[in-house]
């Protein structure tokens, strides 16, 4: 059964596109309002004024601002991100090299967080007020209050420095003394991802749980739950199929918002675990006023969030049969 | 401990530290394994120095255990491996092994020795209008890492390519070169210079040699990616065999390294010929300084690039199998002033900025004695060109080097001598080079018989009621007037001191707070402006938008001439004339552009002088002239603390400038396994 009309989908696509244009405009304005310019990192005291001017020319900074804006908008819509003045390579190369690593780590932690969090939230919401609820809720709030980097260092200290069980740096062994095979690659990545993943997941799932628990609690007394019980369905079915499904909608919204924090979280975690992803390079890019890399990273994030927002709207209709977008009554 | 109670003892320490610096003979190899004994904190630095003074190297290179892989950790990834477009020190720590140079500087005695060039000479270098002819021969038998021979053609191509493309790193070296071509006499190559350059053998002859067959096809050198074209290809001892710039890089050494087996190395008392003795060197990049330091302490890497953070020095020294190799700064940290702006255009006012800087607070309290108090624009390791070297053994501590040291209300106080400084200003005094007493301290007179460009103040200084808003909240009773006007009304704002974000440099932020408060207490309106390094680089060097800025120089020339010319000659200060587009931006202070603040004559003479001793004396004079004119305040020289895995490796060369960064290559060429069992 179609719950989204083609017309509505087209409308949403146009709105998403306009949202992206607006974000790009904001990005252009915000980054240029920061002190300095992105050629700062290219200027060396051992240059002549003519050479500095030449660099400004090459990077288009001698153009009027409106023209820079126009070039930026056109280039970004055609996927042309330019070259990084810091690393002297095309920005796409940097993104293609680093983004998958970030997605592997944060994708995994994101999946764990949104699998475990709603599940625990569902149980706690269903059994709200019990001793079990109070204990788990209290403990998870304590974990949630811990700074992520502090917890990460604690894990590194114990699992790597003290016990030597797990490596705390890189995504794979550098200069391995073993042969790379499909099996060794897999086990090596798994052992390297373990610590950052544990430290991210330890905190990450609580956010989802904190949304799911009250949401679940709100639906516990709904009529359709009462009806399901009256139909003689077992408690587990009522909880999962009838209550939890409706309670998931705020969690889905939270999950989209959570996407925006992928890169945010990457900045600290990747630095602590020497995980060679986008977060690490984004910090350096911002510090070096490397506009091309900074803009591209945030643009990619915007595309991700706007795209996921669209997908979520579609997902809503399947989560809650009452939601219909764009259908004529 | 209060500031006051610490000052007296710390002033005494400064002298001890300086005396230690005298003992820092540039004398060679140290076994890292022996250097950890008897060392504690920076408060004992003079004795550390003695313990670290290495013995002559008597090891037979044939008995050295060869093999193994030495691993260096870095906290930043290199910014590319294109030798013409990168000036990143991290990149060059790798490229140093890939390329070879015409000549090489001995890090122990600073002699210029043969490398890819076997011998050289200069003719027609006498007279002011001379256009010298430099001739040199290129060594036979050198090969690039792709198997091609290094030929005279490659050498000539390298110079002409650099002269045509003008990559920033080599602009200065290529600027006086008119032509480079095949010689029409018994020599291989003829280089025509536009003027005599006394240090031509360490500047013009010291460029990385490029393979013509690779670079002749490269039009846009900045966009060229050597790693995508089977490179970088050079005639150095190593080639890059692993290049994952985000995480790991490996340089594998070739079987033959002829440039490491030259006669001067065989004759050297402190260096071993025949290296590198290891199979390869690996560079691992870590996400943060903490992760890097911990990786070293855990034994994952054998050393880290440059110094270890001072709080970890003691831990390294107390850990078995780990040692600290000490070394000198190859530059200095400074605050520099914009001489184009009033009242910074006046030597009197600039010298006062030195009196208010609490060097004891910086060197002892904040840096825990791991830096030395600064004075001249040449670090203590480059003693041949320091005015205080060679005579009475008072390097760094002689009274003539203390002319602009902090002025407290008394010798042991951290409270700035407000009244003394104000009187210095209102009297219009200048420390000219003549002996005298200035703000409560005696000055014995210039060491090299030079005088400051000004003999009296340029402006009329008075003090009156506080008007500037930045001084309203300060504990100050009077504000300075320059020719009857407050600085704030004269310049549409107070003086601005550029600083780095406190999170990047917390100690520097603390120091600046103290410094600004001291200046405000004198009645000078000044405020801080925070910016990142790169932004500051642009503001200072490209736009000259600053009053006072802090930065550091490293890898200065031990011969003085080229560094003095680059940093303090008016040729490298933008005079903003319309037709001037080819001036380097090295000298943003504008020193040399003004008759009363210039060492141009001395620097020019020094640069063109061919006789070493005369040149060094001219350099010393220029250095002291700059000291007295005070366009820049040298606040400290670092004391390098390079940590190494001495349990496994030996052969480290200590007591040289930058043993873990500028001269990392020297150490990699020397390091070897302790024994075959390792």
């Amino acid at each position: 059964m179609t719950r989204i009309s083609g017309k509505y989908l087209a409308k949403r696509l146009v709105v998403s596109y306009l949202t992206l244009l607006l974000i790009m405009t904001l990005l252009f304005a915000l980054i240029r309002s920061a002190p300095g310019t992105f050629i700062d990192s290219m200027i060396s005291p051992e240059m002549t004024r003519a050479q500095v001017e030449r660099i400004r020319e090459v990077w288009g900074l001698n153009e009027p601002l409106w023209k820079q804006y126009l070039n930026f908008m056109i280039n970004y819509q055609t996927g042309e991100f330019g070259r990084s003045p810091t690393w002297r390579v095309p920005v796409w190369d940097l993104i293609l090299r680093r983004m998958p690593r970030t997605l592997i780590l944060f994708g995994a932690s994101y999946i764990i967080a949104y699998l475990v969090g709603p599940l625990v939230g569902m149980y706690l919401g269903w059994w709200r007020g019990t001793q079990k609820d109070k204990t788990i809720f209290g403990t998870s709030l304590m974990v949630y209050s811990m700074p992520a980097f502090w917890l990460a260092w604690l894990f590194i200290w114990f699992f790597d420095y003290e016990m030597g069980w797990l490596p705390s740096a890189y995504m794979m062994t550098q200069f391995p003394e073993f042969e790379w095979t499909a099996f060794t690659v897999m086990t090596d990545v798994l052992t390297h991802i373990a610590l950052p993943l544990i430290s991210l997941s330890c905190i990450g799932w609580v956010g989802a749980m904190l949304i799911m628990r009250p949401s679940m609690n709100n639906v516990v007394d709904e009529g359709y739950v009462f009806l399901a019980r009256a139909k003689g369905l077992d408690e587990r079915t009522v909880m999962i199929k009838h209550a939890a499904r409706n309670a998931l909608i705020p969690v889905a919204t939270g999950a989209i918002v959570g996407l925006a924090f992928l890169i945010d979280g990457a900045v600290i975690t990747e630095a602590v675990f020497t995980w060679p992803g986008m977060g690490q390079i984004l910090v350096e890019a911002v510090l070096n006023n490397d506009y091309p890399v900074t803009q591209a990273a945030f643009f990619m994030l915007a595309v991700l969030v706007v795209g996921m927002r669209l997908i979520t709207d579609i997902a809503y209709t399947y989560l809650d049969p009452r939601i219909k977008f764009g259908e004529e009554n | 401990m209060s500031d006051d109670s610490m000052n007296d003892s710390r002033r005494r320490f400064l002298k001890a530290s300086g005396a230690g610096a005298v003992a820092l003979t540039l004398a060679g190899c140290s076994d890292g394994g022996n250097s950890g004994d008897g060392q504690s904190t920076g408060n004992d630095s003079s004795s550390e120095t003695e313990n670290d003074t290495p013995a002559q190297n008597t090891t037979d290179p044939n008995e050295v255990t060869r093999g193994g892989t030495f691993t260096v950790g870095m906290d930043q990834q290199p910014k590319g491996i294109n030798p013409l477009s990168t000036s990143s020190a991290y990149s060059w720590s790798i490229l140093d092994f890939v390329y070879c140079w015409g000549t090489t500087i001995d890090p122990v005695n600073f002699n210029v020795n043969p490398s890819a060039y076997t011998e050289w000479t200069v003719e027609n270098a006498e007279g002011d209008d001379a256009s010298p002819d430099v001739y040199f021969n290129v060594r036979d038998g050198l090969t690039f890492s792709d198997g091609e021979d290094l030929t005279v053609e490659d050498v000539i191509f390298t110079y002409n390519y650099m002269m045509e493309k003008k990559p920033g790193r080599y602009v200065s070296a290529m600027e006086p070169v008119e032509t480079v071509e095949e010689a029409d006499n018994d020599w291989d190559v003829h280089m025509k210079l536009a003027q005599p350059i006394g240090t031509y053998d360490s500047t013009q002859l010291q460029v990385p040699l490029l393979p013509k067959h690779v670079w002749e096809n490269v039009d846009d050198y900045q966009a060229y990616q050597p790693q995508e074209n089977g490179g970088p290809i050079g005639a150095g001892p190593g080639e890059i065999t692993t290049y994952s710039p985000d995480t790991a890089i490996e340089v594998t050494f070739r079987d033959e390294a002829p440039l490491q087996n030259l006669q001067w190395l065989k004759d050297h008392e402190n260096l071993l010929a025949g290296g590198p003795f290891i199979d390869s060197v690996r560079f691992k990049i870590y996400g943060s300084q903490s992760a890097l330091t911990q990786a070293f302490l855990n034994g994952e890497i054998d050393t880290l690039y440059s110094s270890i953070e001072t709080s970890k020095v003691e831990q390294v020294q107390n850990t078995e199998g780990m040692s600290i190799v000490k070394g000198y700064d190859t530059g200095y940290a400074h605050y520099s002033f914009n001489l184009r702006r009033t009242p910074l255009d006046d030597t009197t006012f600039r010298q006062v900025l030195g009196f208010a800087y609490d060097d004891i607070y910086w060197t002892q309290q904040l840096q825990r004695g791991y830096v030395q108090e600064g004075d001249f624009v040449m670090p203590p390791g480059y003693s041949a060109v320091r005015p205080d070297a060679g005579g009475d053994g008072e390097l760094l501590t002689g009274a003539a080097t203390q002319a602009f040291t902090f002025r407290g209300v008394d010798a042991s106080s951290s409270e700035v001598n407000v009244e003394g400084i104000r009187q210095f200003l209102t009297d219009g005094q200048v420390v000219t080079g003549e002996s005298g007493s200035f703000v409560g301290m005696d000055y014995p007179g210039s060491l090299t018989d030079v005088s400051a460009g000004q003999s009296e103040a340029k402006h009329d200084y008075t003090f009156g009621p506080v008007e500037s808003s930045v001084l309203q909240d300060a504990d100050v009773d009077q504000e300075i007037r320059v020719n009857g006007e407050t600085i704030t009304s004269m310049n549409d704002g107070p003086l601005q001191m550029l600083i780095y974000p406190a999170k990047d440099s917390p100690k520097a932020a603390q120091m600046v707070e103290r410094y600004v408060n001291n200046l405000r207490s004198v009645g000078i309106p000044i405020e801080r402006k925070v910016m990142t390094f790169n932004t500051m680089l642009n503001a200072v060097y490209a736009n000259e938008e600053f009053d006072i800025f802090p930065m550091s120089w490293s890898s200065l020339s031990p011969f003085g001439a080229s560094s003095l010319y680059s940093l303090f000659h008016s040729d490298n200060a933008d005079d903003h004339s319309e037709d001037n587009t080819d001036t380097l931006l090295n000298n943003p202070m504008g020193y040399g552009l003004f008759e009363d603040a210039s060492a141009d004559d001395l620097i020019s003479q020094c640069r063109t002088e061919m006789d070493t001793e005369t040149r060094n004396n001219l350099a010393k004079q220029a250095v002291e002239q700059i000291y007295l004119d005070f366009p820049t305040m040298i606040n400290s020289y670092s004391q390098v603390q390079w940590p190494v895995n001495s349990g496994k490796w030996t052969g480290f060369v200590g007591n040289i400038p930058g043993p873990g960064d500028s001269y990392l290559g020297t150490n990699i060429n020397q390091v070897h396994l302790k024994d075959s069992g390792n």
Side-chain angles (χ1 to χ4, degrees), chain B residues 133-155:
Chain B
D133 298 287
V134 174
Y135 295 98
F136 54 89
N137 285 337
V138 179
R139 190 176 299 281
D140 290 330
L142 296 179
T143 58
F144 289 107
S145 53
D146 62 355
E148 296 286 329
D149 289 338
L150 185 151
T151 63
V152 170
E153 213 177 334
D154 292 306
V155 173

Side-chain angles (χ1 to χ4, degrees), chain B residues 436-455:
Chain B
S437 181
F438 302 96
V439 196
M441 278 184 76
D442 290 336
Y443 171 69
S446 163
L447 292 159
T448 60
D449 293 327
V450 291
S451 301
Q454 281 179 235
S455 57

Side-chain angles (χ1 to χ4, degrees), chain B residues 67 91 100 231 310 318 401 442 543 633 652:
Chain B
S91 300
C100 76
T310 51
N318 293 332
T401 69
D442 290 336
N543 299 322
M633 175 177 74
F652 300 102

